[in-house]
C-alpha cells in the first residue's frame, strides 16, 4: 500500500491568496507599461471590445449615428443609453458592458482588476468546497464490491487521501493554489478576458448545489446560462441529483420518475425563470441586437481559423471567399455537415448523458460537471485555448481521485503542442497546411478523448471505495 507523505510546512491559504493577488496586480501594471511600449500587445483584443462596448453605452448620441438602444422599453421611455452591439464582434450579454462602465469613468484597467478579483474569489470557493463538501467524505471504505483486478489499485488510491483535519486543510490549500497560480488562469484574466466572472457564477452554483440549497443553485444557474449559454448542461446533472435524493427518500421512485418530482420541477422553473427574466430585461432595453449577438449568432457561427476543432477544415472548404463558393451552390449533404447544428449531436449526447450518469449523487457533481464540460468543449465546432478554462476549473476538485495525472497531462499538452506547431505555419508563415492541420486536429481529438476516458476510469474505481452518500 502507498502511504501519502503530506508536506509538513504548508503555508496557510490566506498567504497563497495574497501571493496570487500580488502576482495579478503586478501583471496588470506590467500590461499597461508593455502595451505603451510594444507593437505586440499584452492585453487581449477582447478587452478592447469590452471597453468600446462600455463606452458606447454612455454615448447614445455620440459619433455613431445609430447607437441608441433599440429595445421597446428604451424607445418608449426615451432612455438615454447606447447599444454595446454597435461595436462589431461584441457578442456578450450587455450586463458585462454595464459592469465595465468604470473603465470609462475611473480607469481603463478597472476590468482587469475585476477579472483578477474574481480569480481570487474562485480560488477561495474551490478551497471552501474542498474543505466542507468533498475531502471530509473521502478516505472511508464503501461496502460496494470491486471488479476483479482493480481492487488493489483502488486501495492504493484510498491511502493517498488525507484523513486528519490538518491534512485536509493542507491538501485544500495545495489544490486551490494550483488554480490560483495556474498560468492559464492568471494570464487570461490579466490580459482582459472575462471568463473568471462566469467561473465565479458556476462555482457559486456548484457550492449551493452541494449544500442542498437548490433554489439558490437554480437562480445562479439561470444567471450563468444568461452570461454564456453552455452552463445549461449542468441543469441535467442537478436534476439527476435531486431525483436520486427523492428516490432515497421514497424507495419506490425510479430515477426517471424522480426527475419529474416536484423538487425537480421547481428547480427547472426557477432556473428557467431567472434566465428568461434576465433575457427579457436585456431585450426590453437593447432589442433584437442583444438576442442575435448574445445567442442566435452562436447557432451558425463559422470559424475556419484559430480553431482546434477538426470541424474547421470542412468549414474552410465551404467558407465564402475561401474557394467554397456561395452557400446556394454547395450540395445539400455538405451544407448539412457544415451546419453547426450537426456537431450538437455528439456534443449534447455526451454532455447530457454524463450529467445523468455521474450526477446522481451531490458529491459527484464536480466530476459530472467536469466530464460534461470536457465533452462539450472537445466536440464543439469552435474550440480555442480559452475554452479549456471551462473544465480545468474543476480539476482541483476532482484531482484527489485521479491516479495518473502526469500521463494525462503529457497527452493533453502533447496533442495541443503538435497542433500548435502546425498552426504556427498557417497563421504566421502563411503556408497552405490546412489538410495536415486537420489531421493533427484529429490526433488532438483522439488524445483528449483518451484523457477523458482515463479520468472517468480513475474516478469510477476510486468512487467504489468512498462512502459519500
Amino acid at each position: 500500500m502507498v502511504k501519502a507523505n503530506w508536506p509538513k510546512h504548508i503555508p496557510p491559504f490566506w498567504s497563497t491568496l495574497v501571493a496570487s493577488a500580488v502576482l495579478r496586480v503586478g501583471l496588470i501594471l506590467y500590461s499597461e507599461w508593455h502595451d505603451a511600449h510594444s507593437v505586440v500587445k499584452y492585453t487581449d483584443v477582447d478587452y478592447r471590445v469590452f471597453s468600446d462596448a462600455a463606452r458606447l453605452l454612455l454615448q447614445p448620441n455620440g459619433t455613431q449615428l445609430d447607437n441608441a438602444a433599440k429595445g421597446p422599453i428604451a424607445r418608449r421611455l426615451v432612455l438615454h443609453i447606447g447599444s454595446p452591439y454597435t461595436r462589431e464582434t461584441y457578442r456578450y450579454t450587455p450586463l458585462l458592458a454595464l459592469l465595465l462602465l468604470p473603465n470609462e469613468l475611473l480607469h481603463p484597467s478597472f476590468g482587469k482588476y475585476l477579472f483578477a478579483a474574481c480569480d481570487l474569489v474562485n480560488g477561495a470557493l474551490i478551497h471552501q468546497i474542498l474543505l466542507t463538501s468533498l475531502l471530509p467524505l473521502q478516505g472511508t471504505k464503501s461496502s460496494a464490491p470491486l471488479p476483479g483486478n482493480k481492487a488493489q489499485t483502488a486501495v492504493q488510491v484510498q491511502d493517498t487521501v488525507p484523513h486528519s483535519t490538518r491534512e485536509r486543510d493542507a491538501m485544500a490549500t495545495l489544490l486551490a493554489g494550483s488554480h490560483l497560480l495556474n498560468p492559464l488562469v492568471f494570464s487570461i484574466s490579466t490580459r482582459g478576458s472575462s471568463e473568471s466572472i462566469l467561473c465565479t457564477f458556476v462555482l457559486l452554483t456548484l457550492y449551493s448545489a452541494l449544500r442542498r440549497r437548490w433554489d439558490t443553485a437554480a437562480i445562479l444557474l439561470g444567471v450563468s446560462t444568461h452570461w454564456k449559454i453552455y452552463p445549461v448542461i449542468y441543469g441535467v446533472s442537478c436534476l439527476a441529483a435531486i431525483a436520486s435524493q427523492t428516490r432515497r427518500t421514497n424507495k419506490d421512485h425510479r430515477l426517471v420518475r424522480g426527475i419529474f418530482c416536484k423538487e425537480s420541477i421547481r428547480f427547472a422553473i426557477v432556473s428557467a425563470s431567472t434566465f428568461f427574466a434576465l433575457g427579457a430585461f436585456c431585450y426590453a432595453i437593447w432589442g433584437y441586437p442583444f438576442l442575435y449577438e448574445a445567442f442566435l449568432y452562436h447557432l451558425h457561427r463559422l470559424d475556419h481559423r484559430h480553431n482546434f476543432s477538426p470541424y474547421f477544415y470542412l468549414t474552410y472548404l465551404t467558407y465564402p471567399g475561401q474557394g467554397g463558393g456561395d452557400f446556394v451552390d454547395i450540395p445539400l449533404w455538405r451544407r448539412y455537415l457544415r451546419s453547426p447544428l450537426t456537431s450538437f449531436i455528439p456534443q449534447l449526447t455526451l454532455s447530457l448523458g454524463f450529467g445523468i450518469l455521474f450526477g446522481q449523487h451531490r458529491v459527484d457533481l464536480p466530476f459530472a460537471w467536469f466530464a460534461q464540460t470536457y465533452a462539450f468543449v472537445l466536440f464543439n465546432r469552435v474550440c480555442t485555448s480559452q475554452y479549456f478554462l471551462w473544465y480545468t476549473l474543476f480539476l482541483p476538485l476532482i484531482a484527489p481521485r485521479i491516479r495518473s495525472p502526469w500521463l494525462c497531462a503529457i497527452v493533453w499538452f502533447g496533442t495541443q503542442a503538435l497542433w500548435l506547431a502546425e498552426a504556427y505555419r498557417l497563421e504566421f508563415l502563411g503556408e497552405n497546411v490546412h489538410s495536415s492541420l486537420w489531421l493533427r486536429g484529429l490526433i488532438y481529438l483522439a488524445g483528449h478523448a483518451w484523457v477523458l476516458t482515463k479520468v472517468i476510469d480513475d474516478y469510477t474505481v476510486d468512487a467504489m471505495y468512498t462512502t459519500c452518500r
Side-chain angles (χ1 to χ4, degrees):
M1 294 186 182
V2 178
K3 190 66 178 177
N5 294 315
W6 296 99
K8 297 181 179 180
H9 302 290
I10 298 294
F13 177 68
W14 66 263
S15 64
T16 304
L17 208 59
V18 170
S20 302
V22 171
L23 172 64
R24 284 162 172 77
V25 171
L27 285 173
I28 293 172
L29 294 175
Y30 167 76
S31 72
E32 296 176 358
W33 178 88
H34 180 95
D35 291 351
H37 294 84
S38 177
V39 176
V40 180
K41 307 300 182 184
Y42 179 89
T43 301
D44 191 87
V45 65
D46 282 346
Y47 189 72
R48 293 194 288 273
V49 173
F50 303 154
S51 299
D52 291 345
R55 182 172 63 255
L56 289 169
L57 284 177
L58 301 173
Q59 299 176 353
N61 301 312
T63 56
Q64 300 289 340
L65 298 178
D66 191 25
N67 188 41
K70 298 174 176 61
I73 298 299
R75 288 180 174 178
R76 180 170 298 182
L77 299 180
V78 194
L79 296 179
H80 293 287
I81 186 171
S83 172
Y85 301 106
T86 304
R87 175 49 160 103
E88 294 182 4
T89 73
Y90 183 81
R91 298 187 174 99
Y92 310 88
T93 171
L95 301 183
L96 175 59
L98 286 173
L99 273 181
L100 296 187
L101 283 178
N103 276 17
E104 285 295 308
L105 303 176
L106 296 178
H107 193 277
S109 293
F110 170 84
K112 293 181 181 180
Y113 287 105
L114 175 63
F115 304 152
C118 287
D119 269 352
L120 302 181
V121 172
N122 296 338
L125 283 170
I126 289 172
H127 185 262
Q128 185 67 12
I129 289 172
L130 285 166
L131 279 183
T132 60
S133 300
L134 298 183
L135 294 181
L137 298 175
Q138 297 184 27
T140 53
K141 187 176 293 187
S142 170
S143 59
L146 285 172
N149 59 3
K150 292 185 177 182
Q152 180 63 27
T153 306
V155 171
Q156 291 177 355
V157 172
Q158 283 308 115
D159 287 341
T160 64
V161 175
H163 295 276
S164 70
T165 301
R166 185 174 182 178
E167 288 179 339
R168 288 170 184 161
D169 186 67
M171 188 175 191
T173 298
L174 285 173
L175 292 172
S178 71
H179 175 81
L180 289 168
L181 301 176
N182 184 340
L184 179 66
V185 173
F186 63 69
S187 63
I188 283 179
S189 60
T190 56
R191 293 185 67 224
S193 173
S194 64
E195 294 298 334
S196 60
I197 296 180
L198 175 62
C199 291
T200 300
F201 290 141
V202 168
L203 285 174
L204 285 172
T205 306
L206 178 61
Y207 180 73
S208 300
L210 290 171
R211 306 289 289 182
R212 294 185 182 181
R213 299 169 183 168
W214 292 114
D215 286 346
T216 303
I219 293 172
L220 289 167
L221 181 61
V223 174
S224 302
T225 306
H226 170 82
W227 205 264
K228 196 162 281 188
I229 196 67
Y230 84 87
V232 70
I233 61 177
Y234 302 148
V236 174
S237 50
C238 288
L239 292 177
I242 296 173
S244 294
Q245 178 179 311
T246 303
R247 183 176 57 177
R248 289 192 295 274
T249 303
N250 304 282
K251 300 297 184 180
D252 59 329
H253 281 190
R254 295 185 177 182
L255 178 64
V256 176
R257 183 178 177 182
I259 290 179
F260 296 98
C261 68
K262 64 179 182 179
E263 292 85 358
S264 299
I265 295 174
R266 177 187 176 95
F267 179 90
I269 291 176
V270 171
S271 183
S273 298
T274 303
F275 172 77
F276 285 112
L278 288 172
F281 169 77
C282 293
Y283 180 83
I285 297 178
W286 289 281
Y288 182 75
F290 150 72
L291 193 62
Y292 176 79
E293 298 291 353
F295 299 112
L296 300 181
Y297 165 80
H298 299 280
L299 294 178
H300 61 82
R301 176 182 177 184
L302 296 174
D303 284 25
H304 65 285
R305 305 186 78 168
H306 313 289
N307 189 356
F308 280 95
S309 171
Y311 289 110
F312 96 95
Y313 191 49
L314 182 61
T315 302
Y316 168 77
L317 292 176
T318 58
Y319 198 83
Q322 300 292 335
D326 295 331
F327 186 76
V328 294
D329 298 329
I330 300 173
L332 182 62
W333 68 272
R334 291 180 69 179
R335 293 190 209 177
Y336 175 75
L337 290 176
R338 175 190 177 187
S339 172
L341 297 177
T342 303
S343 64
F344 285 177
I345 297 174
Q347 186 182 36
L348 293 184
T349 299
L350 289 173
S351 296
L352 301 182
F354 285 152
I356 296 174
L357 179 64
F358 298 118
Q360 297 183 32
H361 303 281
R362 283 182 304 108
V363 75
D364 294 327
L365 283 178
F367 180 74
W369 289 18
F370 168 82
Q372 287 182 277
T373 315
Y374 195 111
F376 186 91
V377 171
L378 183 60
F379 290 95
N380 198 36
R381 181 163 289 264
V382 178
C383 179
T384 64
S385 299
Q386 189 170 300
Y387 291 13
F388 299 153
L389 189 62
W390 296 354
Y391 61 78
T392 55
L393 175 69
F394 304 111
L395 280 179
L397 301 176
I398 67 171
R401 291 184 174 181
I402 307 305
R403 302 195 308 272
S404 308
W406 291 111
L407 179 58
C408 291
I410 290 171
V411 176
W412 191 79
F413 282 111
T415 52
Q416 287 181 59
L418 186 69
W419 185 93
L420 289 169
E422 196 73 354
Y424 174 83
R425 296 175 60 192
L426 172 66
E427 300 293 341
F428 293 95
L429 303 181
E431 299 179 13
N432 185 5
V433 292
H434 291 87
S435 58
S436 59
L437 184 60
W438 173 67
L439 291 175
R440 295 192 184 206
L442 295 179
I443 296 174
Y444 151 84
L445 179 67
H448 279 224
W450 178 87
V451 170
L452 178 58
T453 57
K454 185 68 172 69
V455 171
I456 289 174
D457 182 64
D458 287 356
Y459 187 91
T460 303
V461 171
D462 182 77
M464 293 178 183
Y465 258 78
T466 303
T467 55
C468 50
R469 318 300 181 222

